[in-house]
Amino acid sequence: MPNTRRSEQLFERAQRILPGGVNSPVRAFRAVGGTPRFVARGKGSHIWDVDGNEYVDYIGSWGPLVLGHAVPEVLDAISDAAQRGTTFGIATELEVELAEIVSAAMPSMEMLRFVASGTEATMSAIRVARAATGRDLILKFEGCYHGHADGLLVQAGSGAAAQSTPDSAGVPAAYASQTLVAPYNDLAAVERLFGAYRRSIAVVIVEPIAANMGLVTPQPGFLEGLRRITTANGALLIFDEVITGFRVAYGGAQALFSVTPDLTCLGKVVVGGLPGGAYGGRRELMELVAPLGPVYQAGTLAGNPLAMAAGLATLGLLQKPGTYERLAQSGEYLAQGLWQVAQELETPIAVPQLGSLLTVFFRDGAPWSYRDAITADRQRYAAFFHGLLERGVYFPPSPFEVAFCSLAHTKEDLDATIEAARGALAAFRS
Ligand SMILES: *Cc1c(COP(=O)(O)O)cnc(C)c1O
């Protein structure tokens, strides 16, 4: 067993001053038990905790670090920008440059606005959609995460009524009632809701590849169907590409599937590991945003020069030929290897994978919806997670999150991970 004394001490201290000892809930290991490791540093595909234990990292800060940790080009860009001042609250050239590059990568984003997080991006895009359509209702999918704005922390109500309920304390029922919820990959449910709420639905927001209930990929025709139904009903379509943007393809899921949303939300990769995000879309929609139009939205640190510099450096490196092929090769190799080992040990798992994203579900068959996903065996996942951790592999501390490969992951890393999985699976089988 690795020594974790210092992490334990820090966790004690942290719990006295930070709720649950953390600044974002999944970090607290509640889904898998045990003491969360406190990280000291990262380099490439590896991280080291405060007790000196080394891990192959599959968190990648939950998505931003598609290049790996502490990449020299990104650090230089951040440091250069920092030397000139960390924030101004006055327009800078870097914001224009990054906006042009993002728009060129995703032509549906004719205009965009940088914000300080993915949460702000989705919240603001929805405000624009409501203003543009003059309607209030939004439609989201069960198991999709779009940040923690009130109207998006909503789950499907029980029973036949299409009544939604808050998914968090502190969200007024009146807010939840403005959000409709459908199962992922279920176009018939979307049609039914549009039938019931004809001219009241402003917008459908979706993760074009769902990566917050574990990985759940869209079935053929699902995204096309959303495009068709929204257009037919005068509603807008938002792709929340906070994870998928610059991750599954340079042009995001919209390039991969050739489906064009009205508005797109970005975060994570686009700002290269610094806090930030963006939303954008057709020019006439974005011209509704202040100061051009009546939709108010602002931010003290929006378009922060360090974040812009990190984004520019990251996207620059991602433009190199072969990037996305390499990411997909790593994802495929790992998913195949994990599945193979589980087969050999007669442990039923499914490992859905798309590009550098994958999830190990302890169930038969890849899930297509949240209801499917939550049937995965949580105890087994927790044992698997701790087995990997003891063997120097840091997988998501929750059965319903994705593991992220980066360009820094080597074949040796992936092989070591597969061998660690063999050890972990063999241990809890006996
Ligand atoms: C992470 C995430 C968000 C929220 O972004 P934050 O920067 O954490 O606020 C929104 N949507 C999706 C799909 C995400 O994965």
Side-chain angles (χ1 to χ4, degrees):
M1 286 292 266
N3 173 21
T4 56
R5 247 197 41 214
R6 190 126 173 74
S7 277
E8 280 159 31
Q9 285 166 354
L10 278 170
F11 192 45
E12 286 270 327
R13 252 173 82 196
Q15 284 173 288
R16 274 180 249 130
I17 192 78
L18 301 165
V22 293
N23 286 302
S24 197
V26 74
R27 298 177 196 172
F29 276 24
R30 288 295 174 99
V32 290
T35 305
R37 306 296 190 267
F38 281 66
V39 69
R41 66 190 177 91
K43 183 72 191 166
S45 55
H46 288 226
I47 52 174
W48 287 261
D49 70 18
V50 290
D51 292 290
N53 303 303
E54 181 174 353
Y55 307 90
V56 185
D57 177 34
Y58 290 96
I59 307 294
S61 190
W62 300 105
L65 302 184
V66 67
L67 303 172
H69 292 274
V71 173
E73 289 89 336
V74 179
L75 296 184
D76 287 348
I78 294 170
S79 154
D80 282 354
Q83 301 299 325
R84 295 191 296 271
T86 57
T87 178
F88 303 100
I90 302 172
T92 62
E93 185 171 351
L94 292 174
E95 296 159 73
V96 187
E97 268 185 59
L98 186 57
E100 287 170 351
I101 285 174
V102 170
S103 176
M106 295 186 188
S108 74
M109 298 178 83
E110 292 174 353
M111 286 185 115
L112 58 143
R113 159 104 10 123
F114 289 108
V115 290
S117 69
T119 294
E120 280 185 52
T122 59
M123 190 180 80
S124 308
I126 285 170
R127 189 176 300 145
V128 169
R130 284 173 160 153
T133 56
R135 303 173 181 179
D136 285 345
L137 295 181
I138 65 178
L139 195 165
K140 79 176 284 287
F141 295 91
E142 210 173 9
C144 282
Y145 178 67
H146 303 293
H148 64 89
D150 283 336
L152 290 164
L153 289 181
V154 171
Q155 59 185 348
S158 54
Q163 207 58 50
S164 308
T165 59
D167 201 15
S168 162
V171 173
Y175 286 20
S177 72
Q178 301 301 301
T179 303
L180 308 171
V181 183
Y184 198 75
N185 274 324
D186 189 345
L187 284 178
V190 175
E191 297 268 24
R192 272 198 302 279
L193 286 168
F194 270 98
Y197 295 91
R198 292 230 158 271
R199 297 269 145 218
S200 318
I201 301 174
V203 64
V204 171
I205 183 167
V206 67
E207 285 183 81
I209 298 161
N212 283 287
M213 48 175 145
L215 185 69
V216 177
T217 56
Q219 286 175 335
F222 178 58
L223 299 174
E224 292 84 347
L226 295 182
R227 179 66 284 180
R228 178 174 45 75
I229 296 167
T230 47
T231 302
N233 287 279
L236 299 180
L237 179 61
I238 298 177
F239 275 6
D240 179 353
E241 297 228 40
V242 170
I243 283 187
T244 54
F246 300 101
R247 162 65 70 174
V248 296
Y250 187 71
Q254 53 197 271
L256 200 62
F257 295 113
S258 304
V259 177
T260 306
D262 300 293
L263 293 160
T264 298
C265 300
L266 297 172
K268 298 185 175 137
V269 176
V270 75
V271 278
L274 268 73
Y279 68 100
R282 282 206 312 281
R283 184 170 301 276
E284 86 263 18
L285 295 174
M286 292 307 289
E287 282 178 349
L288 293 171
V289 177
L292 287 183
V295 176
Y296 191 72
Q297 186 274 307
T300 302
L301 291 176
N304 175 262
L306 273 55
M308 299 296 104
L312 283 164
T314 298
L315 300 197
L317 291 171
L318 288 174
Q319 282 169 21
K320 288 191 182 165
T323 293
Y324 291 91
E325 288 79 0
R326 275 167 58 211
L327 283 169
Q329 274 160 16
S330 293
E332 253 172 68
Y333 185 82
L334 182 59
Q336 266 299 319
L338 293 172
W339 187 79
Q340 192 65 43
V341 160
Q343 286 296 104
E344 284 163 32
L345 295 171
E346 291 166 359
T347 309
I349 64 169
V351 195
Q353 167 261 334
L354 198 159
S356 54
L357 307 171
L358 60 90
T359 298
V360 173
F361 285 104
F362 284 86
R363 77 191 287 279
D364 272 318
W368 296 110
S369 68
Y370 181 68
R371 306 237 163 131
D372 288 349
I374 58 170
T375 65
D377 190 320
R378 295 156 201 239
Q379 265 99 44
R380 285 191 157 207
Y381 185 87
F384 177 64
F385 166 81
H386 280 291
L388 289 179
L389 199 65
E390 282 165 24
R391 292 168 177 81
V393 174
Y394 207 115
F395 241 52
S398 157
F400 307 115
E401 299 283 356
V402 297
F404 295 88
C405 294
S406 76
L407 286 170
H409 284 77
T410 61
K411 183 156 180 301
E412 290 69 50
D413 289 329
L414 304 174
D415 284 332
T417 304
I418 294 163
E419 280 321 296
R422 187 189 302 282
L425 292 174
F428 77 75
R429 196 161 157 263
S430 55

Short mmCIF file of all heavy atoms in Angstrom, two decimals, residues 117-120 122 145-148 207 212 240 242-243 268 276, ligand 1:
data_model
loop_
_atom_site.label_atom_id
_atom_site.label_comp_id
_atom_site.label_asym_id
_atom_site.label_seq_id
_atom_site.Cartn_x
_atom_site.Cartn_y
_atom_site.Cartn_z
N SER A 117 -16.02 30.52 -17.18
CA SER A 117 -16.18 29.08 -16.92
C SER A 117 -17.19 28.49 -17.90
O SER A 117 -17.93 29.23 -18.56
CB SER A 117 -16.68 28.84 -15.48
OG SER A 117 -18.02 29.29 -15.36
N GLY A 118 -17.23 27.16 -17.94
CA GLY A 118 -18.22 26.48 -18.77
C GLY A 118 -19.63 26.76 -18.27
O GLY A 118 -20.57 26.89 -19.06
N THR A 119 -19.79 26.84 -16.96
CA THR A 119 -21.09 27.14 -16.36
C THR A 119 -21.64 28.47 -16.90
O THR A 119 -22.81 28.58 -17.27
CB THR A 119 -20.96 27.21 -14.83
OG1 THR A 119 -20.63 25.92 -14.34
CG2 THR A 119 -22.23 27.69 -14.16
N GLU A 120 -20.77 29.46 -16.94
CA GLU A 120 -21.20 30.77 -17.47
C GLU A 120 -21.55 30.68 -18.95
O GLU A 120 -22.44 31.40 -19.42
CB GLU A 120 -20.07 31.78 -17.31
CG GLU A 120 -19.97 32.37 -15.94
CD GLU A 120 -18.90 33.44 -15.91
OE1 GLU A 120 -18.94 34.35 -16.76
OE2 GLU A 120 -18.01 33.35 -15.06
N THR A 122 -22.88 28.11 -20.69
CA THR A 122 -24.21 27.53 -20.93
C THR A 122 -25.32 28.46 -20.42
O THR A 122 -26.33 28.65 -21.09
CB THR A 122 -24.35 26.16 -20.25
OG1 THR A 122 -24.15 26.30 -18.87
CG2 THR A 122 -23.35 25.16 -20.82
N TYR A 145 -24.59 17.09 -18.14
CA TYR A 145 -24.22 18.15 -17.20
C TYR A 145 -23.86 19.38 -18.00
O TYR A 145 -23.11 19.30 -18.99
CB TYR A 145 -23.03 17.69 -16.35
CG TYR A 145 -22.54 18.74 -15.38
CD1 TYR A 145 -23.33 19.14 -14.30
CD2 TYR A 145 -21.28 19.33 -15.53
CE1 TYR A 145 -22.88 20.09 -13.40
CE2 TYR A 145 -20.82 20.29 -14.63
CZ TYR A 145 -21.62 20.66 -13.56
OH TYR A 145 -21.17 21.61 -12.67
N HIS A 146 -24.39 20.50 -17.57
CA HIS A 146 -24.09 21.75 -18.28
C HIS A 146 -23.62 22.82 -17.31
O HIS A 146 -23.90 24.00 -17.50
CB HIS A 146 -25.33 22.23 -19.03
CG HIS A 146 -25.88 21.22 -20.00
ND1 HIS A 146 -25.20 20.84 -21.14
CD2 HIS A 146 -27.03 20.49 -19.99
CE1 HIS A 146 -25.92 19.93 -21.80
NE2 HIS A 146 -27.02 19.70 -21.12
N GLY A 147 -22.92 22.42 -16.26
CA GLY A 147 -22.53 23.39 -15.25
C GLY A 147 -23.63 23.51 -14.21
O GLY A 147 -24.65 22.80 -14.27
N HIS A 148 -23.43 24.42 -13.23
CA HIS A 148 -24.31 24.39 -12.07
C HIS A 148 -25.26 25.58 -11.96
O HIS A 148 -25.69 25.95 -10.88
CB HIS A 148 -23.48 24.21 -10.79
CG HIS A 148 -22.56 25.35 -10.51
ND1 HIS A 148 -22.96 26.44 -9.78
CD2 HIS A 148 -21.28 25.56 -10.88
CE1 HIS A 148 -21.93 27.29 -9.70
NE2 HIS A 148 -20.91 26.78 -10.36
N GLU A 207 -25.26 17.69 -24.67
CA GLU A 207 -23.86 17.32 -24.90
C GLU A 207 -23.87 16.42 -26.13
O GLU A 207 -24.42 15.30 -26.06
CB GLU A 207 -23.33 16.51 -23.71
CG GLU A 207 -23.01 17.29 -22.46
CD GLU A 207 -22.40 16.36 -21.40
OE1 GLU A 207 -21.20 16.06 -21.47
OE2 GLU A 207 -23.15 15.94 -20.50
N ASN A 212 -20.73 13.13 -19.02
CA ASN A 212 -20.88 13.41 -17.59
C ASN A 212 -21.78 12.41 -16.89
O ASN A 212 -22.23 12.63 -15.76
CB ASN A 212 -21.40 14.84 -17.39
CG ASN A 212 -20.29 15.88 -17.58
OD1 ASN A 212 -19.42 16.02 -16.74
ND2 ASN A 212 -20.29 16.58 -18.71
N ASP A 240 -23.47 21.79 -26.15
CA ASP A 240 -22.53 22.06 -25.07
C ASP A 240 -21.27 21.24 -25.36
O ASP A 240 -21.21 20.05 -25.07
CB ASP A 240 -23.16 21.67 -23.72
CG ASP A 240 -22.19 21.90 -22.56
OD1 ASP A 240 -21.01 22.22 -22.82
OD2 ASP A 240 -22.62 21.75 -21.40
N VAL A 242 -18.30 21.83 -24.10
CA VAL A 242 -17.29 22.19 -23.10
C VAL A 242 -16.23 21.08 -23.00
O VAL A 242 -15.04 21.36 -22.88
CB VAL A 242 -17.95 22.51 -21.74
CG1 VAL A 242 -16.90 22.64 -20.64
CG2 VAL A 242 -18.75 23.81 -21.84
N ILE A 243 -16.67 19.81 -23.07
CA ILE A 243 -15.69 18.72 -23.09
C ILE A 243 -15.26 18.39 -24.52
O ILE A 243 -14.07 18.22 -24.80
CB ILE A 243 -16.26 17.44 -22.42
CG1 ILE A 243 -16.20 17.60 -20.90
CG2 ILE A 243 -15.47 16.18 -22.85
CD1 ILE A 243 -16.56 16.37 -20.10
N LYS A 268 -12.84 24.32 -20.83
CA LYS A 268 -11.81 23.28 -20.76
C LYS A 268 -10.70 23.47 -21.81
O LYS A 268 -9.90 24.38 -21.66
CB LYS A 268 -12.48 21.90 -20.78
CG LYS A 268 -13.40 21.79 -19.54
CD LYS A 268 -14.08 20.47 -19.30
CE LYS A 268 -14.83 20.55 -17.95
NZ LYS A 268 -16.14 20.00 -17.91
N GLY A 276 -11.85 29.44 -17.74
CA GLY A 276 -12.47 30.19 -18.82
C GLY A 276 -13.46 29.37 -19.60
O GLY A 276 -13.66 28.17 -19.34
C1 LIG B 1 -17.32 20.85 -17.19
C2 LIG B 1 -18.57 21.07 -17.96
C3 LIG B 1 -19.34 22.24 -17.82
C4 LIG B 1 -19.05 23.25 -16.76
O1 LIG B 1 -17.83 23.89 -16.94
P1 LIG B 1 -17.13 24.58 -15.65
O2 LIG B 1 -15.94 25.26 -16.26
O3 LIG B 1 -16.81 23.48 -14.72
O4 LIG B 1 -18.11 25.54 -15.10
C5 LIG B 1 -20.40 22.43 -18.66
N1 LIG B 1 -20.72 21.51 -19.59
C6 LIG B 1 -20.02 20.37 -19.75
C7 LIG B 1 -20.41 19.41 -20.82
C8 LIG B 1 -18.94 20.10 -18.92
O5 LIG B 1 -18.29 18.94 -19.04
#
